[in-house]
Structure formats: C-alpha cells, structure tokens
Amino acid sequence: MTYSIAQAAGRSGLSVDTLRYYERIGLIDPPARDSGGRRSYSEDDLGWLFFLTRLRTTGMPIRMMREYAQLRHRGTTTAVQRKQMLLEHRAAVRARIAELQSCLEVLDYKITHYEQFEHSEGITA
C-alpha cells in the first residue's frame, strides 16, 4: 500500500511541510513517485517517520537525527554506532524522566497542601 503526502502526513502526525523539510535535510529518503510525479510513501517510509517522531518527542536534536539517518544509509556496518547513539539518548531520556518525576512530586505536595488548607477553612471549589 502507498500513501500520498497528505495521507502520510495524517498517519505520521507530521505536517506536509515537515515531511518536505525532512526530505530536504536528508532525514527521509525522497519517496517514490507515482505516474503523475506525486510523492508516494510506503509502509516502510511510514515506519521510519514513526521512529523519527519518537526520537523528536524524546528531545533528540535534528542534528543527531540526521547523523543517525546518515549512518542508517551506510547499512549494517554502522549498527554498533547507531545502537550506541540510542543507548546514550535513552540514558538522557531516563534522566529527564527522573527530573520530571521529581518536579511532579513537588507539584503533588503543593496541591495536597492547598487541598488540606481548603478543607480546614471550609473552602469549596
């Protein structure tokens, strides 16, 4: 099955402009073209887009994503390097999650404090 650029954008959660940008900077390969010359995305293309959106969501900089994509193009000989990049990024993501968890605990503490205050003062929302 193949998808138009609009369909690929809808399925990936990226905009058409972002897909074109990713293509321009080398994050994604230029997709195949249909008989009318329009971009035609495959399931594999969508899988790669899904992976890229997850990297981006976890805060990986575009620069690192491009480096990863370039290594991917070089094939299996770069598997160790790509794995190392992901291991390092995963460690950074875990550290960020721990930091956010600590912040969440502070928020929970303050919210509980206000709820106790409201209860003792007879304040209702």
Side-chain angles (χ1 to χ4, degrees), residues 54-114:
R54 292 307 175 262
L55 291 179
R56 195 72 187 118
T57 299
T58 61
M60 182 179 275
I62 294 284
R63 173 190 53 77
M64 285 182 63
M65 291 169 61
R66 288 180 66 196
E67 181 182 344
Y68 187 94
Q70 289 167 357
L71 290 170
R72 178 178 175 253
H73 279 290
R74 292 174 35 204
T76 57
T77 61
T78 65
V80 172
Q81 290 170 278
R82 287 181 279 155
K83 179 184 174 188
Q84 188 59 41
M85 285 182 73
L86 295 179
L87 287 168
E88 290 170 9
H89 185 64
R90 180 177 67 182
V93 169
R94 284 184 171 158
R96 181 67 177 136
I97 289 170
E99 180 182 25
L100 288 172
Q101 186 62 44
S102 175
C103 293
L104 184 59
E105 289 168 6
V106 170
L107 291 173
D108 288 343
Y109 171 81
K110 284 304 262 185
I111 290 168
T112 300
H113 171 76
Y114 286 121

Side-chain angles (χ1 to χ4, degrees), residues 3-16:
Y3 304 92
S4 69
I5 194 168
Q7 292 169 321
R11 287 183 170 268
S12 67
L14 300 168
S15 69
V16 168

